[in-house]
Amino acid sequence: MTLRVAVPNKGRLSEEAIDLLKKAGLGIEETADRKLYAAVKNMDFEVMFLRAKDIVRFVHSGVVDVGFTGLDLVMEAALDVDKVLDLDFGHCRLVLAAPESSGISSVEQVPNGSVIATSFPNMAWQYFARKDKMVEITQISGAAEVAPHIGVADMIVDLVSSGSTLRTNRMREVETIARSQAVMITTADARKNKGVEIEELVTAVQSVVFARCKKYLMADVPVNVLEEAKGLLPGIEGPTVMDIIDRDDMVAVHSVVDKDRVYDTVAALKRLGAKGILIMPIDRIVP
Ligand code: AMP
């Protein structure tokens, strides 16, 4: 059965989502203008390029079986779709922010009757309701950070990643309302009809997401420090140890290492007298 998959056609999540699918093994035949549909070479997939915001609705209504989009958009839409995978890119936060000049640094200080500009009206409503604040929400479709400067709002609820846009606009983050990243979504109906196909795609994509935070490390290690070296190299099932031809004082050790631990591990291996250390990217890890 053909699996219909939606990815963002433009914007921040588009390139990485497409790259993820390609690395997962889908031979997406993209045209330069990224038309609505792309065929997938020799596979029973149909890829549709849609706006990130629309993908939640199209998954929900069954137009596509699986979608890649931002969790923030899923939460805002409040439709009955299931998140099947965190994709570990597109990290951002939905925050309440106020002009620095307002002196507001906590939500308790927000006066009732304040006007809040946002493109996330549902999440903003729920947030202020939880905080027992009576505010007026004004919906805008983007560039919320300018709203207080042009006098159409007192504060904003908007997405930030580094926070530099807020700082440039002399706005201060008051509180984080929600955290987001790119996610893969589907529905119970799609699972009922195409459960096997969806599970296969989840496994393939997960293997790429998992591999992205790992590196493959190879090193020649003196035999007399092998036990210490093993302690540094967890691997998936522990490190692989191999003989080196014509050497009885050194062995070759291969291991999978967390990206964040590569620096420290290499330094520690060097201290043990390891030589010829190679660090390589991994395309996929299927446990
Ligand atoms: P687009 O509007 O198509 O560029 O996509 C916006 C999506 O990218 C949002 O819904 C978020 O999921 C994600 N995103 C990640 N970082 C940010 C950010 N700093 N600002 C806005 N959106 C972000």
Side-chain angles (χ1 to χ4, degrees), residues 101-156:
S101 58
S102 71
I104 293 174
S105 59
S106 78
V107 64
E108 287 71 32
Q109 293 171 303
V110 173
N112 279 335
S114 296
V115 180
I116 315 290
T118 186
S119 37
F120 292 83
N122 288 338
M123 290 175 79
W125 265 124
Q126 286 163 18
Y127 170 71
F128 285 108
R130 279 199 305 277
K131 300 284 179 187
D132 275 334
K133 289 281 174 191
M134 304 286 287
V135 296
E136 189 185 320
I137 308 265
T138 177
Q139 187 169 356
I140 41 137
S141 55
E145 63 280 357
V146 300
H149 295 294
I150 56 174
V152 297
D154 301 305
M155 274 161 267
I156 64 169

Side-chain angles (χ1 to χ4, degrees), residues 10-13 52 70-73 90-92 120 159-161 180:
K10 51 186 173 189
R12 289 169 198 258
L13 305 178
L71 181 60
D72 48 281
L73 300 170
H91 290 275
C92 57
F120 292 83
L159 292 175
V160 301
S161 34
S180 176

Side-chain angles (χ1 to χ4, degrees), residues 55-67 81 185-187:
I55 287 176
V56 189
R57 255 186 317 117
F58 285 132
V59 169
H60 178 253
S61 60
V63 172
V64 292
D65 305 303
V66 168
V81 296
I185 56 170
T186 187
T187 58

Side-chain angles (χ1 to χ4, degrees), residues 27-72:
I28 300 172
E29 293 174 341
E30 253 182 290
T31 50
D33 53 353
R34 209 166 273 166
K35 288 205 200 85
L36 182 60
Y37 278 99
V40 177
K41 229 182 286 169
N42 306 324
M43 293 168 96
D44 215 358
F45 282 97
E46 219 167 64
V47 174
M48 286 174 89
F49 299 108
L50 300 166
R51 284 185 55 203
K53 203 171 176 174
D54 295 336
I55 287 176
V56 189
R57 255 186 317 117
F58 285 132
V59 169
H60 178 253
S61 60
V63 172
V64 292
D65 305 303
V66 168
F68 290 73
T69 189
L71 181 60
D72 48 281

